[in-house]
């Protein structure tokens, strides 16, 4: 009885044979039973369909072309679809959901390095200079690449983050601190982009601070080596003996107490030589605010002498249409034998001089460095009074830079 029932059911389901399937050439649908059909198109191509009705709705689900899906495989797929129907699950919707899940899993398989590269690309426009993006790229590649670079970003956990940071945590504390923040930013971006879920394993407060020792602030502070201000005149005399764009750019930077990126990006249309004024646009300022810089006569002289250049940049680079390299002034210092100095350190020299040798108010000195000051002072600045005070400050600074202190001769007063 059971054998007869099985044979009858098999005949009801398995109506086609491989030979019959191969011989079907006329357009139409040929049933194999249980909702499985062989479809022959007008052009003679063959494919499998599963027809079903669920909740009063008739649907068709393609199972693939005959050259890819055999009769046996088509029957297996149809049987799986019938099992879903028994559970009142639409096989088409179930397949679409499975496809979406696999697509999401594939998307989440993006590696940490790929996420880092995408993060850098999306934020590059907001960073003030190319060097910042380069530092991001280099630290991620150097320290993260060998350990987590090729791993799916969703697999990066606390243990892996610690494995990246631990070797340099105390030996290179400043680099390690910045790297941790960068990893946290990349993982945060990956979470917001749907590539990972859960907490950020690079978070410091309430997380990594329980695993890694706190870095001492003194160990993390990195001062820019600065020239003592009483040696400024002698240094400036030596600098003015140097030839080339880099030497003039460094002299201009010192006289204006500005930053490297602000100077090398300076363009002719930003300078009003008659008014002795250089206006740095907000896009090139660290604080994101336009900065008016009063130019001492020597600073004006530098710009006027370079105005013969055909470049849009006041301090052009070697290649046409480019600005001076951000490393040019540092290389100049090395050629001068001043390897202990940094370009940024001259701002510290200027600030030390203002504090020790002048009576200018603190807010005037801070504004000369384009540091953020109070709203009241900002309002005054926009009226122009602080600008004139800063003009006098920069003139005195220029005069100080011209003051060369030479060792005096020892005279002998012998008794006659």
């Amino acid at each position: 009885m059971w054998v007869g029932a099985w044979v009858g059911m098999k005949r009801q389901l398995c109506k086609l044979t491989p030979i019959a399937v191969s011989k079907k050439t006329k357009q139409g649908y040929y049933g194999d039973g249980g909702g499985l059909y062989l479809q022959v198109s007008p052009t003679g191509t063959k494919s499998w369909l599963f027809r079903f009705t669920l909740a009063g709705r008739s649907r068709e689900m393609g199972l693939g072309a005959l050259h890819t899906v055999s009769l046996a495989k088509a029957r297996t797929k149809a049987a799986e679809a019938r099992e879903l129907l028994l559970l009142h699950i639409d096989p088409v919707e179930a397949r679409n959901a499975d496809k979406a899940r696999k697509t999401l899993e594939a998307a989440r398989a993006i590696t940490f390095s790929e996420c880092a590269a995408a993060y850098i690309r999306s934020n590059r426009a907001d960073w003030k200079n190319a060097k910042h993006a380069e530092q991001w790229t280099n630290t991620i590649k150097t320290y993260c690449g060998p350990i987590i670079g090729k791993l799916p970003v969703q697999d990066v956990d606390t243990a892996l983050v610690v494995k990246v940071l631990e070797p340099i945590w105390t030996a290179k504390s400043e680099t390690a601190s910045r790297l941790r923040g960068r990893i946290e930013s990349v993982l945060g971006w990956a979470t917001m982009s749907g590539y990972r879920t859960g907490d950020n394993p690079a978070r410091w407060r309430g997380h990594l601070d329980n695993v890694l020792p706190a870095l001492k602030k003194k160990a993390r502070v990195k001062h820019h080596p600065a020239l003592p201000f009483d040696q400024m005149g002698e240094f400036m005399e030596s600098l003015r003996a140097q030839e080339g764009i880099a030497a003039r750019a460094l002299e201009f930077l010192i006289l204006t107490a500005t930053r490297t990126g602000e100077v090398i990006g300076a363009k002719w249309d930003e300078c009003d030589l008659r008014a002795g004024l250089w206006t740095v646009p907000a896009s090139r300022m660290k604080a994101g605010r336009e900065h008016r810089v009063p130019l001492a006569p020597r600073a004006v002289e530098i710009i006027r002498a370079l105005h013969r250049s055909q470049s849009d940049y006041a301090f052009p680079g070697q290649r046409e249409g480019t600005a001076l390299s951000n490393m040019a002034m540092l290389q100049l210092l090395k050629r001068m034998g001043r390897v202990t100095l940094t370009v940024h350190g001259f701002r510290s020299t200027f600030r030390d001089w203002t504090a020790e040798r002048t009576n200018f108010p603190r807010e005037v000195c801070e504004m000369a460095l384009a540091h953020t000051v109070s709203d009241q002072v900002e309002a005054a600045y926009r009226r122009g009074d602080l600008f004139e005070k800063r003009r006098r400050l920069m003139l005195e600074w220029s005069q100080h830079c011209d003051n060369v202190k030479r060792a005096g001769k020892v005279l002998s007063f012998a008794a006659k």
Side-chain angles (χ1 to χ4, degrees):
M1 178 179 177
W2 288 108
V3 174
W6 166 249
V7 171
M9 185 169 60
K10 186 174 181 182
R11 286 176 180 174
Q12 185 179 4
L13 290 176
C14 304
K15 297 178 180 179
L16 298 174
T17 64
I19 295 177
V21 168
S22 65
K23 289 183 178 181
K24 300 294 184 183
T25 57
K26 186 178 179 181
Q27 178 185 355
Y29 295 88
Y30 302 91
D32 184 58
L36 178 62
Y37 289 85
L38 174 70
Q39 179 185 32
V40 181
S41 72
T43 59
T45 58
K46 302 175 183 180
S47 59
W48 298 104
L49 285 176
F50 178 71
R51 289 178 167 178
F52 64 95
T53 300
L54 182 64
R57 181 187 179 190
S58 297
R59 302 197 68 180
E60 290 184 353
M61 181 171 69
L63 302 181
L66 178 63
H67 60 73
T68 303
V69 180
S70 65
L71 173 59
K73 194 169 184 179
R75 286 171 175 167
T76 300
K77 289 189 172 188
E80 293 172 351
R82 287 192 294 268
E83 289 178 0
L84 290 173
L85 288 171
L86 287 175
L87 299 173
H88 298 284
I89 298 174
D90 189 318
V92 175
E93 294 180 0
R95 184 173 65 179
N96 290 342
D98 184 60
K99 186 183 296 184
R101 178 183 58 79
K102 290 179 179 178
T103 300
L104 181 59
E105 288 179 354
R108 286 179 174 173
I110 184 173
T111 67
F112 177 84
S113 291
E114 290 170 336
C115 274
Y119 177 87
I120 292 170
R121 283 195 303 271
S122 64
N123 288 275
R124 187 184 294 271
D126 295 331
W127 291 335
K128 300 301 180 183
N129 53 60
K131 185 177 180 181
H132 190 64
E134 183 180 344
Q135 290 171 340
W136 264 77
T137 302
N138 290 342
T139 52
I140 293 292
K141 180 179 179 181
T142 301
Y143 301 107
C144 299
I147 299 174
I148 62 175
K150 295 181 179 180
L151 293 180
V153 71
Q154 64 179 343
D155 292 343
V156 177
D157 58 14
T158 302
L160 288 170
V161 173
V162 171
K163 188 175 182 180
V164 171
L165 296 174
E166 209 165 29
I168 61 171
W169 190 249
T170 54
K172 300 179 179 180
S173 57
E174 182 66 24
T175 299
S177 177
R178 291 180 180 179
L179 179 61
R180 186 209 60 78
R182 289 167 184 172
I183 295 173
E184 182 179 12
S185 295
V186 170
L187 294 179
W189 178 89
T191 300
M192 294 301 296
S193 301
Y195 297 133
R196 61 174 287 121
T197 58
D199 293 336
N200 195 318
R203 188 182 76 253
W204 175 254
R205 190 179 298 276
H207 188 62
L208 287 183
D209 59 353
N210 296 315
V211 181
L212 295 170
L215 295 175
K216 294 182 180 179
K217 290 185 177 181
K218 290 183 179 179
R220 293 178 55 186
V221 173
K222 183 180 180 182
H223 295 287
H224 294 277
L227 184 73
F229 59 80
D230 58 359
Q231 298 177 23
M232 197 66 240
E234 182 182 356
F235 174 82
M236 193 66 88
E237 184 180 54
S238 176
L239 176 61
R240 287 170 180 165
Q242 304 294 317
E243 296 183 354
I245 299 295
R248 301 292 72 78
L250 180 57
E251 184 181 356
F252 184 81
L253 177 145
I254 292 171
L255 292 173
T256 55
T258 49
R259 301 178 178 88
T260 297
E262 296 156 12
V263 170
I264 64 176
K267 295 185 176 181
W268 296 118
D269 58 7
E270 298 172 2
C271 302
D272 185 345
L273 299 185
R274 289 186 178 181
L277 170 66
W278 170 36
T279 303
V280 188
S283 60
R284 235 176 37 251
M285 293 300 301
K286 184 176 182 180
R289 295 180 181 178
E290 180 183 275
H291 182 48
R292 297 193 303 166
V293 183
L295 300 178
R298 173 55 187 167
V300 172
E301 183 182 336
I302 292 171
I303 292 293
R304 183 169 283 124
L306 293 171
H307 206 194
R308 293 188 295 270
S309 169
Q310 299 299 314
S311 173
D312 291 336
Y313 293 100
F315 303 100
Q318 293 182 349
R319 290 182 298 175
E320 185 177 353
T322 63
L324 186 69
S325 166
N326 66 330
M327 294 297 292
M329 288 183 277
L330 183 60
Q331 293 298 325
L332 171 65
L333 287 173
K334 291 181 179 179
R335 290 196 299 273
M336 293 175 65
R338 300 284 191 158
V339 294
T340 60
L341 299 180
T342 66
V343 177
H344 196 83
F346 288 104
R347 284 168 56 85
S348 297
T349 301
F350 168 79
R351 190 64 182 92
D352 292 342
W353 171 79
T354 61
E356 296 289 338
R357 295 294 177 85
T358 78
N359 294 318
F360 283 91
R362 176 183 176 278
E363 60 267 24
V364 175
C365 303
E366 288 296 297
M367 190 165 288
L369 292 167
H371 288 166
T372 303
V373 293
S374 67
D375 293 339
Q376 290 83 358
V377 175
E378 175 68 14
Y381 164 58
R382 292 189 182 279
R383 289 197 301 271
D385 55 340
L386 279 189
F387 178 80
E388 293 306 319
K389 291 179 181 178
R390 289 191 294 114
R391 184 185 290 281
R392 293 196 296 272
L393 172 63
M394 301 317 292
L395 179 60
E396 288 192 22
W397 170 240
S398 178
Q399 293 169 346
H400 173 77
C401 290
D402 288 337
N403 185 18
V404 181
K405 292 186 178 181
R406 304 188 187 280
K409 294 182 180 180
V410 178
L411 302 178
S412 174
F413 296 92
K416 293 183 179 179

